[in-house]
Amino acid sequence: MKYPFLLLLMFCITSLSAQTKAPVPKVDGEWWRIATTPDLGQYNSDIVEPVDFGIWQAADGTWQVWSCIRGSKFPGSPRTTRFLYGWEGKSLTDKNWAEQGIKWVADPSLGETPGGMQAPYVFKEDGFYYLFYGDWQRICLAKGMDGKNFERVLGGNGQPDLFAEYGYVSKFKKEGDPLFESYARDPMVIKRGNTYYCYYTSHITDPINDGAAFCRTSVNMKDWSESVIVSHTPPYNYNSPRYSDECPQVVYLPEHDLYYLFVTQTYGKKSQTTVYASPNPLYFAVDEYSRKVCTLPIAAPEIVLHEGQYYLVALTDELDGIRMAKLKWE
C-alpha cells in the first residue's frame, strides 16, 4: 500500500468528524412534576421512594407511568418489598398526574421473587402492548391490549421469564444456592428491522460485582441471543461500581444514524447519567473504547418522542417523585 500514513490520518479525521457532529442532549426549559410519593396506607414508611419507571401512551390516549416503589412496608422477601405503582395523565404535558394505585406485584407461584418487582418498560407493536419488567432476578414479559391491563406471557417452563444474567456472587448465598445469582433488571426495548434489542442492567464477575449494561436480541420476543456488554461506565462520586450502568435507555436519531445510550451512576441530589452515541447499537463504551457525549445531572431517564417533540422524564433530586422537561439536541 502506497500511503498508509495518509490513509490512517484520513480515517482518524473522519472518525473525529463523525464524533464532533454527534448532537448533545440538553434540557430545554423548566422541569414540571408529574408524580409525587404516593400515600400507601398500611405500606407507608419514612423511606418510601418512587424510583425506576416506565412511561407510555395507552390505547385511550391517556399517558401512563408505572414506577418501582422501594422502601415500603409491602410484604415480600427479607430483601425485597417492591411493587409497581401507577399514575395517569390526560395529556403528556399535564402536571401532577392522577394516582392509579398499585398496578403490578410479584406472583411467587410463577417463580417471581416476592416483593421483587423492578423497572417496567412498555413496547407497543401491532395493537399489542408488551410489558417488560424485572422480577429481582430475571427479565420477564407480559402482554395487553389497552396499555393499562396486562397478563403474563408464560414460556415452556410455565413462567414469564425471558432470560437471566448470571454473574453476581451474592453475599446472601446459602448452602444449596447457586454459586452465581442473577440480578438482571431495568429492561428497555427498541426494534430495528425485524430484530428486537433488549437493554438491561446486571453485573459481571471480573471485577467482582461490577455493574454493566447488557443487550440481547430476538426476532420473536421469545428466543433471545447470548448477552453482549454494551457499556461499562466508571463509578461516580464514590458510588459503588455495582450501580455504574443503571436504567439503560436507548434512542435512535435517524437523521444522524446514531444510537444514544443513557446509563445512570448515582441517584438523588448528586445524580449523574452518562450519555454515549454510537452507530452500533451493541457497542457504546467497552474496554478502552468510549463514545461518551456528555453527562447529565439526572437519574433513571426515559426519553419520549411525541408529535415531533422530545421529552426527558427523570426522577426528582429528592427521590420523591417524577418530573418532565422538553429535550433538545444541539
Side-chain angles (χ1 to χ4, degrees):
M1 185 178 297
K2 281 191 175 182
Y3 303 107
F5 175 78
L6 180 59
L7 290 175
L8 177 61
L9 179 62
M10 291 175 63
F11 173 80
C12 291
I13 291 174
T14 301
S15 299
L16 179 61
S17 175
Q19 291 192 39
T20 56
K21 289 182 179 179
V24 177
K26 293 187 176 181
V27 176
D28 185 12
E30 298 296 320
W31 293 93
W32 63 91
R33 181 184 289 266
I34 64 172
T36 302
T37 302
D39 182 356
L40 301 176
Q42 62 181 319
Y43 304 136
N44 275 332
S45 80
D46 294 334
I47 56 172
V48 168
E49 294 174 336
V51 284
D52 311 1
F53 60 89
I55 181 170
W56 65 93
Q57 188 172 28
D60 65 359
T62 61
W63 286 84
Q64 309 295 312
V65 162
W66 288 13
S67 172
C68 168
I69 303 296
R70 70 182 183 187
S72 75
K73 295 180 180 179
F74 187 77
S77 75
R79 290 184 282 159
T80 56
T81 58
R82 301 187 180 205
F83 53 87
L84 303 184
Y85 193 94
W87 293 262
E88 179 177 283
K90 297 301 181 182
S91 70
L92 181 62
T93 56
D94 282 353
K95 298 179 180 179
N96 301 314
W97 295 9
E99 293 186 18
Q100 300 296 299
I102 295 175
K103 304 298 293 185
W104 199 254
V105 300
D107 187 341
S109 71
L110 298 178
E112 296 177 348
T113 302
M117 292 297 94
Q118 292 185 284
Y121 184 81
V122 171
F123 179 88
K124 183 182 179 183
E125 184 176 51
D126 296 334
F128 289 97
Y129 291 82
Y130 296 91
L131 169 65
F132 293 79
Y133 62 97
D135 74 349
W136 196 255
Q137 293 192 321
R138 313 172 300 180
I139 302 301
C140 300
L141 180 65
K143 183 179 179 181
M145 293 287 292
D146 62 1
K148 296 184 178 183
N149 301 281
F150 298 87
E151 293 185 1
R152 288 167 171 84
V153 178
L154 304 184
N157 63 351
Q159 299 186 11
D161 60 306
L162 298 176
F163 54 80
E165 189 66 43
Y166 291 91
Y168 180 87
V169 181
S170 173
K171 64 181 179 180
F172 300 99
K173 182 180 179 298
K174 300 177 182 178
E175 185 177 353
D177 288 346
L179 175 60
F180 296 110
E181 288 194 12
S182 166
Y183 285 91
R185 59 196 184 279
D186 304 352
M188 76 85 54
V189 176
I190 65 171
K191 188 178 184 183
R192 297 291 294 150
N194 68 343
T195 303
Y196 303 94
Y197 294 75
C198 183
Y199 299 88
Y200 59 99
T201 298
S202 192
H203 304 275
I204 59 179
T205 56
D206 185 18
I208 195 70
N209 291 353
D210 203 352
F214 296 77
C215 185
R216 293 177 187 245
T217 60
S218 174
V219 295
N220 57 14
M221 291 195 200
K222 298 178 181 179
D223 306 299
W224 293 86
S225 70
E226 291 298 315
S227 64
V228 173
I229 294 177
V230 296
S231 71
H232 185 206
T233 307
Y236 169 71
N237 197 37
Y238 305 106
N239 197 27
S240 170
R242 292 169 58 191
Y243 310 116
S244 60
D245 291 82
E246 301 280 290
C247 313
Q249 177 84 182
V250 174
V251 180
Y252 177 65
L253 296 189
E255 63 271 30
H256 299 281
D257 196 22
L258 286 173
Y259 298 86
Y260 282 75
L261 170 68
F262 296 67
V263 284
T264 293
Q265 289 76 61
T266 308
Y267 287 38
K269 293 184 178 180
K270 296 183 179 180
S271 293
Q272 175 175 286
T273 290
T274 299
V275 184
Y276 302 98
S278 173
N280 185 341
L282 296 176
Y283 206 57
F284 293 93
V286 182
D287 299 324
E288 298 302 317
Y289 174 92
S290 175
R291 290 295 299 270
K292 178 178 175 180
V293 171
C294 67
T295 60
L296 297 171
I298 59 173
E302 294 267 337
I303 313 301
V304 177
L305 176 59
H306 181 58
E307 296 180 347
Q309 173 66 55
Y310 282 96
Y311 295 88
L312 178 64
V313 193
L315 302 179
T316 62
D317 290 341
E318 295 75 19
L319 296 182
D320 64 354
I322 301 169
R323 56 183 175 163
M324 184 184 300
K326 290 184 178 180
L327 177 69
K328 61 183 178 181
W329 305 84
E330 289 190 342

